[in-house]
Amino acid sequence: MRKFPRLVACAVLLAAGLARGVWAQPDQSIDPEALIERILMVDESQRRQIADIVYDAEYIEGEEKDGEFKEKVRFVKKIYVKYLPDTTLFFEEFIEYYKEGELKSDDDLRKEAKDRKEKKRKRRARDISYSMIEPFYPDHRQTYDIEYLGVADDRIEGRVCHHFEVSALEESDSLINGDYYFEAESFNLVRVDFSPAKLAGSTWFKLKDLSMSITYGPTADRHWLPRQFDVEGKGKAMFFFGVKFAGTEYYRNPVVNGGIEDDVFEVTDGD
C-alpha cells in the first residue's frame, strides 16, 4: 500500500501515453516495477476469488504438410482444477478419442489417455494449472531477467497490451523464456508465448524446437481464464527423419467455484 500513489501516477501516465499513441519505444517515465506490482495485485485478487474451475476441453493434434495442418487425433475432455493454499490440483478426464476422424473404442481411449498422461509426467510438461505469472513473483525473480518493452505495436487479441520479455538466467527444463502481454486497462494476462529454457529429450526422441502459447480472456463474471493453448515443435526420432507436430487445446464453458470433491484428483491404476 505504500506504493499506491506511485501506481496512481503510473496509471495517469499510461492513459496519457495511450491517448497520444506514442508507444513505439518504452516510455522512460513508466516504472516497470510499478506495472509488475499492479499485475501481481490483480493476479492475487483473482486467486482469492477462485477455489476451483471445471472446463469443457477439446484437444486437436496434427502435423504440418505442404503448409497445411492435417488433423491426426482429437480428444474431448473435462478438466478439473482446484486451488489449495500451498498447491494446485489438476485432473483431466478423457471422454472421447478420434483418430484420423474416426471415433475409437473405450479401450483405445483408456490406453491412449494412460500413455499421454505418463509421457506428460516424464516430460514435466506444463498445463493450465501452472501460474504463468510465476516469473514475476518475488520468490522467482532471482531466476529470471525481465525487460519491459513498452506497449506492443500491434493489438494482442484485439487489446492494447504491455509487453514484457522474460528470460531464464539458467538452462533448465523447469524454467521458461517468453513474451508476456498484459492488457493495459486491466493488467490481466492476455497472451504468453513461451518455450522451455532447456529442451527435454531421450535416447529415442530429441526435441529440436518447442514453442507454446496460451491465450486468456474474461468470462461473464470478469474472471480472466485460459481460452486456448497452442503447441508447435519439431524433433528427431531414432531411425526416422525430422518430425513436426502441432496441437491446440480449447477451453470452454468454465464453471467457477462449482465445488470439486478431492477424490476426483486421486490417482488410480487407470489414470
Side-chain angles (χ1 to χ4, degrees):
M1 295 300 295
R2 295 193 302 269
K3 296 182 179 180
F4 182 74
R6 185 175 66 175
L7 292 175
V8 173
C10 180
V12 172
L13 289 169
L14 290 175
L18 289 171
R20 293 194 305 269
V22 183
W23 290 107
Q25 299 292 330
D27 191 328
Q28 297 302 315
S29 63
I30 300 301
D31 182 355
E33 291 302 322
L35 290 180
I36 291 174
E37 186 175 350
R38 181 61 175 166
I39 287 165
L40 296 183
M41 288 174 60
V42 169
D43 183 57
E44 289 174 344
S45 175
Q46 174 162 293
R47 283 174 171 271
R48 289 194 295 269
Q49 298 174 38
I50 298 177
D52 55 66
I53 312 173
V54 179
Y55 299 90
D56 291 328
E58 183 179 38
Y59 176 70
I60 302 170
E61 185 178 280
E63 60 182 349
E64 294 285 345
K65 283 191 174 181
D66 300 324
E68 294 185 4
F69 178 78
K70 181 179 180 181
E71 179 182 320
K72 298 181 71 174
V73 299
R74 178 189 298 254
F75 291 97
V76 176
K77 302 191 290 185
K78 188 80 85 172
I79 291 179
Y80 304 82
V81 183
K82 187 169 185 176
Y83 300 98
L84 302 179
D86 58 348
T87 190
T88 301
L89 303 179
F90 176 90
F91 178 74
E92 53 184 348
E93 177 187 5
F94 287 74
I95 300 172
E96 293 179 349
Y97 167 38
Y98 296 83
K99 187 173 183 179
E100 306 293 347
E102 178 187 353
L103 178 63
K104 308 302 289 185
S105 68
D106 288 343
D107 284 342
D108 289 335
L109 171 64
R110 282 190 291 270
K111 291 177 183 177
E112 188 67 18
K114 184 177 181 179
D115 180 62
R116 285 176 176 265
K117 288 181 179 181
E118 181 62 18
K119 288 179 178 178
K120 175 185 175 182
R121 184 187 66 81
K122 289 181 178 179
R123 296 171 182 169
R124 300 175 64 185
R126 294 199 173 212
D127 54 51
I128 58 170
S129 68
Y130 289 84
S131 172
M132 293 305 301
I133 302 180
E134 183 178 277
F136 292 84
Y137 274 87
D139 290 348
H140 299 274
R141 287 290 295 273
Q142 70 275 11
T143 57
Y144 288 97
D145 177 62
I146 299 178
E147 182 180 0
Y148 176 59
L149 301 181
V151 169
D153 292 334
D154 299 322
R155 288 178 178 262
I156 308 299
E157 305 300 321
R159 302 176 186 276
V160 176
C161 292
H162 295 293
H163 181 192
F164 285 87
E165 183 179 71
V166 172
S167 304
L169 296 178
E170 60 180 278
E171 291 188 2
S172 169
D173 57 11
S174 65
L175 303 178
I176 64 171
N177 299 317
D179 289 280
Y180 284 74
Y181 301 93
F182 297 90
E183 189 187 42
E185 180 180 354
S186 69
F187 301 95
N188 283 288
L189 182 59
V190 175
R191 195 180 78 203
V192 53
D193 303 324
F194 66 103
S195 59
K198 180 181 179 181
L199 293 174
S202 67
T203 303
W204 297 97
F205 185 80
K206 298 289 186 182
L207 271 174
K208 299 296 184 182
D209 182 58
L210 181 62
S211 301
M212 293 167 281
S213 180
I214 305 180
T215 303
Y216 300 79
T219 66
D221 295 327
R222 306 304 297 173
H223 297 307
W224 281 69
L225 302 176
R227 288 182 172 177
Q228 185 172 320
F229 192 146
D230 296 293
V231 58
E232 184 176 350
K234 57 184 177 180
K236 186 176 182 181
M238 186 171 285
F239 309 125
F240 293 92
F241 294 105
V243 176
K244 291 184 179 181
F245 59 91
T248 298
E249 186 156 276
Y250 301 96
Y251 308 101
R252 305 183 178 103
N253 308 316
V255 177
V256 176
N257 297 335
I260 306 175
E261 297 297 329
D262 288 344
D263 58 9
V264 169
F265 304 98
E266 293 179 0
V267 178
T268 64
D269 293 339
D271 290 336

